[in-house]
């Protein structure tokens, strides 16, 4: 293998410079979410029967897998389900009204329902906070019905248990697990720009990498870890059942007939890839084959120009050494 021109350390440096959300930014955004959460907690202290029960930072900022291109702060909001409307537009309006009550220093138009979430916009710098509703019935592990951001359906799941799940994989491959997640997400962004109709949800990427981590794949060499990811997709044709035993026995997962089968690690009945079609699965496989070939070529290229050319096929023209 020729690594003269681009080696693990070059990929690591590229990640630092171009891919990762800088830590100072991540801290600032987490603090922004924390202030909102604390405001709600104060309001709840004075109004214990209030129907918004908790706010919790979720998504990539909570998992430490955010890209530099992060464009909103995901916050889950637990709403007591008994009285809340289940019709999505009415539910969003119901929550928006209550958020305006709990945050009186926001003008009403700073709290606006979107398609499946509510956005809280901050004047000045800061990113907007995207509030995703979870209908909640008092479960101690914070299971609830999360509103899918893809089609507005209700998905039974638990955000804190997801965070525990990811934390375990991060501990096993300290720093490298999150870094490989971010590198793959960066590749996904490039594919979305270049292939019409390409989709590959971040959570699915994380589940595939979690499976590889559980199988003992070493993440500390980035070219190799990336190659393991692309090879996994190519060899399984993106059709292998992915299931974990952290929270339930894998054999409790029923028969699944959709092409892509990636089961929520905290709910055996929730296939997180249920909306992916054969065409979309094939597109992922094709893109992974191309990326895998490009990495092979990069690793055997003899000139710097050729090596760069192949790595740019994976990460786009922002990849420079
Ligand atoms: N289909 C689903 N079933 C259960 N939980 C889900 C599902 N989709 C998303 N989630 C929850 O929402 C969180 C955020 O979703 P996702 O991982 O796709 O975005 P992200 O980590 O914020 O990445 P991005 O950088 O793409 O915004 C997940 O970590 C998971 O807890
Ligand atoms: Mg997100």
């Amino acid at each position: 293998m020729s690594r003269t021109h681009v080696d693990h350390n070059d990929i690591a440096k590229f990640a630092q410079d171009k891919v990762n959300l800088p830590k100072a930014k991540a801290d600032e955004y987490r603090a922004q979410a924390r202030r909102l959460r604390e405001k709600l907690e104060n309001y709840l202290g004075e109004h214990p029967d209030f129907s918004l029960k908790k706010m919790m930072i979720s998504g990539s900022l909570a998992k430490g897998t955010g890209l530099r291109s992060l464009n909103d702060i995901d916050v889950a909001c637990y709403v007591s389900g008994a009285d809340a409307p289940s019709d999505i537009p009415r539910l969003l309006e119901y929550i928006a009204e209550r958020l305006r009550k709990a945050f009186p220093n926001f003008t009403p138009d700073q709290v606006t329902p979107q398609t499946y979430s509510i956005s809280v916009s901050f004047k000045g710098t800061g990113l907007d906070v995207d509030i995703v509703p979870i209908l909640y019935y008092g479960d101690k592990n914070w299971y609830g019905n999360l509103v899918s951001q893809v089609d507005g359906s209700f998905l039974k799941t638990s955000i804190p248990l997801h965070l525990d799940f990811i934390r375990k994989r991060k501990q096993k491959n300290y720093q490298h697990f999150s870094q490989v997640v971010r590198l793959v997400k960066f590749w996904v962004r490039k594919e979305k720009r270049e292939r019409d109709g390409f989709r590959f949800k971040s959570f699915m990427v994380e589940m595939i990498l979690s499976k590889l981590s559980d199988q003992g794949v070493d993440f500390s060499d980035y070219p190799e870890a990336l190659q393991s990811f692309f090879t996994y997709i190519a060899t399984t044709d993106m059709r292998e059942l992915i299931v974990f035993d952290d929270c339930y026995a894998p054999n409790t997962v029923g028969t699944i007939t959709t092409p892509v089968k990636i089961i929520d690690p905290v709910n055996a009945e929730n296939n997180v890839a249920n909306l992916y079609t054969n065409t979309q699965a094939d597109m992922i496989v094709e893109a992974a084959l191309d990326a895998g070939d490009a990495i092979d070529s990069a690793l055997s290229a003899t000139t710097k120009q050729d090596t760069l050319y192949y790595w740019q096929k994976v990460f786009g023209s922002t990849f420079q050494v």
Side-chain angles (χ1 to χ4, degrees):
M1 259 197 226
S2 153
R3 293 183 173 231
T4 324
H5 302 292
V6 174
D7 200 352
H8 166 79
N9 293 329
D10 301 297
I11 307 286
K13 172 136 196 340
F14 161 69
Q16 274 307 324
D17 295 347
K18 306 277 178 59
V19 174
N20 301 349
L21 180 68
K23 186 177 180 305
K25 283 278 162 204
D27 289 344
E28 179 191 328
Y29 299 142
R30 285 191 201 105
Q32 194 179 331
R34 187 168 57 242
R35 286 193 293 274
L36 270 190
R37 192 190 70 208
E38 287 168 356
K39 269 194 188 136
L40 177 64
E41 282 166 3
N42 290 340
Y43 189 86
L44 264 171
E46 285 158 23
H47 308 81
D49 293 333
F50 194 54
S51 54
L52 307 188
K53 295 301 177 197
K54 193 181 185 59
M55 277 188 174
M56 206 182 271
I57 186 158
S58 62
S60 59
L61 267 180
K63 293 177 283 187
T65 50
L67 299 191
R68 218 182 167 82
S69 55
L70 183 82
N71 54 21
D72 51 25
I73 303 172
D74 300 316
V75 168
C77 179
Y78 288 82
V79 186
S80 46
D83 313 312
S86 54
D87 166 76
I88 296 291
R90 284 176 52 224
L91 173 66
L92 297 178
E93 199 42 69
Y94 172 94
I95 297 171
E97 231 170 71
R98 279 155 184 79
L99 289 171
R100 292 182 191 119
K101 240 184 224 158
F103 311 143
N105 55 331
F106 282 87
T107 61
D109 65 314
Q110 278 179 281
V111 180
T112 45
Q114 309 293 319
T115 319
Y116 301 121
S117 63
I118 299 119
S119 129
V120 176
S121 74
F122 285 78
K123 293 183 175 145
T125 50
L127 293 181
D128 290 357
V129 173
D130 201 31
I131 296 190
V132 176
I134 299 184
L135 293 183
Y136 178 66
Y137 303 90
D139 183 87
K140 69 174 183 348
N141 284 316
W142 295 96
Y143 274 93
N145 291 325
L146 171 80
V147 173
S148 160
Q149 295 303 293
V150 181
D151 67 353
S153 59
F154 288 105
L155 307 168
K156 184 182 172 196
T157 197
S158 163
I159 300 293
L161 291 184
H162 281 165
L163 299 181
D164 286 348
F165 176 93
I166 296 288
R167 199 172 300 126
K168 271 197 224 162
R169 275 74 194 175
K170 283 171 69 169
Q171 277 161 1
K172 186 167 170 200
N173 283 285
Y174 183 63
Q175 289 186 341
H176 302 311
F177 182 83
S178 337
Q179 188 58 80
V180 175
V181 167
R182 289 194 216 96
L183 285 165
V184 172
K185 283 169 65 173
F186 196 85
W187 166 77
V188 167
R189 278 189 72 225
K190 191 213 124 216
E191 294 304 325
K192 282 182 181 162
R193 285 195 303 270
E194 293 183 354
R195 293 178 204 247
D196 210 26
F198 186 87
R199 60 191 294 231
F200 198 167
K201 196 179 169 47
S202 297
F203 198 55
M204 288 166 48
V205 167
E206 289 170 359
M207 292 306 110
I208 294 173
L209 289 172
S210 297
K211 182 49 77 182
L212 294 175
S213 166
D214 292 2
Q215 288 171 354
V217 168
D218 177 17
F219 282 58
S220 65
D221 182 89
Y222 299 154
E224 271 181 33
L226 290 165
Q227 203 52 302
S228 305
F229 176 82
F230 295 128
T231 302
Y232 175 85
I233 292 176
T235 53
T236 60
D237 202 30
M238 197 68 193
R239 264 92 170 163
E240 187 175 80
L241 173 68
I242 295 183
V243 58
F244 299 91
D245 64 5
D246 296 54
C247 295
Y248 52 81
N251 65 10
T252 56
V253 172
T255 309
I256 296 166
T257 54
T258 57
V260 189
K261 309 163 183 69
I262 301 178
I263 313 305
D264 185 341
V266 310
N267 175 7
E269 285 167 17
N270 178 27
N271 173 11
V272 302
N274 66 336
L275 297 175
Y276 281 66
T277 63
N278 274 308
T279 309
Q280 289 165 339
D282 290 342
M283 264 182 132
I284 294 175
V285 174
E286 212 179 289
L289 281 166
D290 288 351
D293 285 350
I295 296 179
D296 280 342
S297 303
L299 293 177
S300 59
T302 48
T303 67
K304 178 168 180 183
Q305 192 189 5
D306 283 353
T307 310
L308 256 184
Y309 168 83
Y310 288 115
W311 277 111
Q312 287 182 344
K313 283 190 151 193
V314 183
F315 292 123
S317 54
T318 41
F319 184 85
Q320 295 290 345
V321 288

